[in-house]
Amino acid sequence: MAKIMISGATGLLGRALLKELSKEHDTVGLGFSRAQPPILKVDLFDREALQQVFSEHTPEFFIHSAAERNPDKFDNDPESSIKLNCAVTEQIARCCEQFGCKLIFISTDYVFDGRNPPYAEDAATSPLNLYGESKARSEAMLLKDYPSAAIARIPVLYGEVNALKESAVTIIAEQLIKGVRAFDHDSLRFPTNTADIARVLRQAIEVIGKELNGVYHISAQEMMTKLEMAKTMAPALNIDSATLVAAEIDENAAPRPKDCALKDTRLCAKGIEIDSRFSDAINTVLAPHLSH
């Protein structure tokens, strides 16, 4: 049994990590604005508070999943968003080094520009937007100054949500319910269930342990546009998928890469991979939010 601390434990991925890892391991969740016991309320910008929580709980692994993930929010408030995604990451890395804890940093496929997929773990980063840049900057800092850290790049996520708008995938269902019928059919995505990410990270901790380091890619393998995701969800919402069409490209949105397929060569070699089907998993996720 390992002692695992998770930042962003009230978020979409953090909740899934807490749920999965708590089954076999001693877990401590950190949150802030939405933190309720047993999740500890900790301001990640507060170095002393962070050191205190490390000192009290002495985690063996720290999964840093807290982040600003909305690319458009970066354009509106770049300073605080970059501070959260970069300065906080370095602060946590220092604490991990000080207390002999293995850091697992959650990164993104948006560190790539989407022009040369699929991307191997050692591919050069080339982000198109500030969100991707903030993650690429943190990755470079960790690889240079904290080489024992592990970096887990993941794609767009969905999973158990408190409200459909909580993920970029389930918000499509909310848009469908509200009557939207046109969706992006240009950018290619690999929607991945947070439960699968959590399971893979649990297996990685159990199989590889403290030898985890460098970059790992974790992703489902089904390639879909938002329009294709919408067509997959439509039947559960009693909507005719034939009525859905491709939307015009929004020129005002933060630029998104076209295809950031992540090639997993490291975890796959250990027999740790994702093979679940989007159509099955998304219906399970949507079910609690549909009125029958």
Side-chain angles (χ1 to χ4, degrees), residues 75-263:
D75 285 355
N76 297 330
D77 188 6
E79 189 175 342
S80 65
S81 299
I82 287 175
K83 188 176 180 184
L84 174 61
N85 281 11
C86 296
V88 165
T89 300
E90 185 164 16
Q91 200 152 274
I92 288 170
R94 282 188 195 138
C95 284
C96 285
E97 186 173 67
Q98 180 183 346
F99 290 92
C101 176
K102 171 64 67 174
L103 172 60
I104 301 174
F105 172 66
I106 303 297
S107 191
T108 174
D109 57 353
Y110 273 28
V111 297
F112 299 116
D113 60 18
R115 297 186 181 114
N116 297 288
Y119 291 92
E121 282 100 345
D122 61 355
T125 59
S126 52
L128 288 182
N129 55 42
L130 286 172
Y131 167 60
E133 185 183 322
S134 76
K135 288 293 193 176
R137 197 184 297 182
S138 287
E139 285 189 11
M141 177 272 296
L142 292 174
L143 290 168
K144 177 177 176 288
D145 299 330
Y146 303 91
S148 65
I151 295 164
R153 292 189 187 128
I154 60 176
V156 66
L157 301 178
Y158 67 96
E160 289 184 11
V161 290
N162 294 323
L164 292 174
K165 65 182 179 181
E166 195 177 1
S167 90
V169 175
T170 53
I171 199 171
I172 295 171
E174 182 176 72
Q175 291 165 338
L176 284 166
I177 291 166
K178 290 180 176 177
V180 176
R181 293 296 179 265
F183 295 88
D184 175 67
H185 195 45
D186 183 57
S187 296
L188 304 171
R189 296 286 173 256
F190 293 80
T192 302
N193 194 339
T194 53
D196 285 328
I197 298 285
R199 175 185 54 77
V200 164
L201 285 175
R202 176 182 59 76
Q203 290 176 318
I205 287 169
E206 291 169 356
V207 173
I208 306 171
K210 289 291 184 100
E211 299 303 310
L212 279 165
N213 63 65
V215 179
Y216 297 88
H217 285 173
I218 308 173
S219 176
Q221 301 305 309
E222 290 177 273
M223 184 169 67
M224 309 178 83
T225 64
K226 283 191 174 181
L227 176 60
E228 288 166 336
M229 292 183 223
K231 288 191 172 189
T232 303
M233 296 182 215
L237 304 170
N238 295 316
I239 294 169
D240 182 358
S241 60
T243 63
L244 307 183
V245 297
E248 293 183 11
I249 296 172
D250 181 0
E251 301 293 346
N252 296 318
R256 264 82 162 170
K258 183 176 175 62
D259 179 1
C260 287
L262 297 174
K263 187 178 181 183

